[in-house]
């Protein structure tokens, strides 16, 4: 106990179970940093920071696959476009990255969080009732659409008829389920949603990267809110790469359309001040 009550109060105010640090000491959840360096990789360190334990080899491999699959999707993605534009405005690379990360929300980057919540609802309903996963998916999706939602997060893609990242990720998850690395049910739930959407809309809408990584993060035990943060970590790699590439270019990218192109104006015709609209 600190002999100085005010100092102890300040220490308690900033209490944390994540890190212990004092002169010559840096411990993460009890692990000295010198014991982790060279033994735990970056992915293992993310896991340790969030879960307070180191992952198994199988957990780390699956986690790594999900994180690496979402690092980039080209300069048409809002976060990447903003990073490149910001890099042309004379700000530092950290400013460009922060500008890009700030647009990763419900519409761009948030589908994983929403999809994990849906998959968890499906699995929970199946476990607490006599419904199969497929039947639970139909009920959960019916309630979801009845609430006025039109699109299922994690399914469909505006560029890819079939997202090339989804099948390999689900394949790894299926293997991990079979080997007992993660709890079963998420692959079945993710695929049951495809059938439930088809039954309702009359067409098959494939799962995308957000849905596949959502299934993996859910199976690995991450809370839905964390999944958005994990996507930010993943996409920040692409953001950094595009920011740096733009920094090295002589030409500037200061807008969403090329130099010489103009937007469509939809406002009032040319008029003079003092004129009244008839």
């Amino acid at each position: 106990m600190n002999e100085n009550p005010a100092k102890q109060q300040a220490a308690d105010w900033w209490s944390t179970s994540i890190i212990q640090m004092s002169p010559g000491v840096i411990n993460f959840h009890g692990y000295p940093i010198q014991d982790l360096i060279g033994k735990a990789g970056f992915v293992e360190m993310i896991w340790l920071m969030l879960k307070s334990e180191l992952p198994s080899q199988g957990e780390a491999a699956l986690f790594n696959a999900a994180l690496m699959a979402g690092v980039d999707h080209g300069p048409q993605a809002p976060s990447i476009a903003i990073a490149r534009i910001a890099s042309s405005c004379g700000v530092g690379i950290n400013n460009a990255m922060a500008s890009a990360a700030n647009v990763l929300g419900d519409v761009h980057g948030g589908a994983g969080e929403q999809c994990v919540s849906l998959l968890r609802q499906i699995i929970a309903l199946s476990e607490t009732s006599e419904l199969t996963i497929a039947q639970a998916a139909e009920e959960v999706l019916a309630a979801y659409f009845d609430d006025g939602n039109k699109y299922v997060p994690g399914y469909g893609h505006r560029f890819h008829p079939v997202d090339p990242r989804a099948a390999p990720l689900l394949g790894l998850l299926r293997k991990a389920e079979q080997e007992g690395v993660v709890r079963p049910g998420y692959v079945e739930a993710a695929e049951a949603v495809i059938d439930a959407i088809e039954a309702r809309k009359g067409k098959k809408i494939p799962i995308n990267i957000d849905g596949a990584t959502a299934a993996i993060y859910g199976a690995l035990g991450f809370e839905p809110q964390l999944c958005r943060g994990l996507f930010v970590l993943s996409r920040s790699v692409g953001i950094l790469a595009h920011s740096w590439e733009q920094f090295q270019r002589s030409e500037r990218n200061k807008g969403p359309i090329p130099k010489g192109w103009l937007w469509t104006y939809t406002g009032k015709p040319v008029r003079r001040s003092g004129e009244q609209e008839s």
Side-chain angles (χ1 to χ4, degrees):
M1 186 71 177
N2 201 313
E3 294 181 359
N4 185 329
K7 189 175 182 181
Q8 185 62 49
Q9 183 181 15
D12 292 342
W13 181 264
W14 289 104
S15 64
T16 176
S17 64
I18 298 171
I19 183 171
Q20 180 185 18
M21 194 280 292
S22 60
V25 174
I26 304 175
N27 299 337
F28 294 100
H29 291 293
Y31 290 99
I33 186 63
Q34 60 269 30
D35 291 347
L36 293 171
I37 293 174
K39 298 176 183 176
F42 187 50
V43 166
E44 287 83 358
M45 199 62 187
I46 296 171
W47 184 288
L48 175 62
M49 293 292 281
L50 296 176
K51 287 179 171 281
S52 77
E53 298 292 343
L54 287 167
S56 68
Q57 186 175 358
E59 288 170 331
L62 187 60
F63 190 35
N64 182 65
L67 287 169
M68 69 77 57
V71 296
D72 190 14
H73 194 243
Q76 88 294 331
S79 53
I80 301 298
I82 287 170
R84 299 193 75 110
I85 293 171
S87 297
S88 291
C89 293
V91 300
I93 201 164
N94 59 307
N95 303 99
M97 292 185 70
S99 298
N102 279 334
V103 300
L104 295 173
D106 286 344
V107 175
H108 175 43
E113 174 183 347
Q114 299 155 359
C115 188
V116 172
S117 295
L118 278 178
L119 296 179
R120 285 179 63 165
Q121 288 178 48
I122 292 167
I123 293 172
L125 179 59
S126 176
E127 291 176 343
T128 58
S129 68
E130 296 182 354
L131 298 177
T132 64
I133 288 283
Q135 292 168 336
E138 291 175 1
E139 287 210 6
V140 170
L141 264 292
Y144 179 80
F145 285 119
D146 287 346
D147 284 341
N149 298 293
K150 296 182 179 179
Y151 305 101
V152 180
Y155 292 82
H157 202 288
R158 65 190 180 118
F159 283 105
H160 307 296
V162 176
D163 192 323
R165 300 162 292 187
L169 288 173
L170 287 183
L172 290 173
L173 178 56
R174 182 177 287 105
K175 183 172 183 289
E177 287 185 351
Q178 293 168 349
E179 294 175 349
V181 174
V182 296
R183 59 156 297 168
Y186 275 88
V187 171
E188 185 179 358
E191 292 177 341
V193 169
I194 298 174
D195 295 334
I197 295 173
E198 184 177 14
R200 192 174 186 91
K201 291 182 174 288
K203 60 180 179 179
K204 186 179 290 292
I205 300 178
I207 192 169
N208 62 30
I209 178 70
D210 295 318
T213 53
I216 289 176
Y217 293 148
L220 289 171
F222 288 103
E223 292 297 318
Q225 297 92 327
L226 269 179
C227 295
R228 185 172 305 192
L230 292 174
F231 178 79
V232 174
L233 285 177
S234 174
R235 185 52 58 88
S236 67
V237 178
I239 290 170
L240 174 60
H242 282 272
S243 298
W244 180 238
E245 183 178 67
Q246 189 65 47
F247 269 121
Q248 296 176 89
R249 290 185 171 179
S250 58
E251 76 277 9
R252 294 178 177 178
N253 179 0
K254 295 184 69 176
I257 53 179
K259 182 180 179 180
W261 292 20
L262 293 175
W263 55 92
T264 300
Y265 174 66
T266 60
K268 297 181 182 300
V270 175
R271 52 185 176 163
R272 300 289 180 260
S273 59
E275 292 180 355
Q276 297 295 322
E277 188 172 340
S278 58

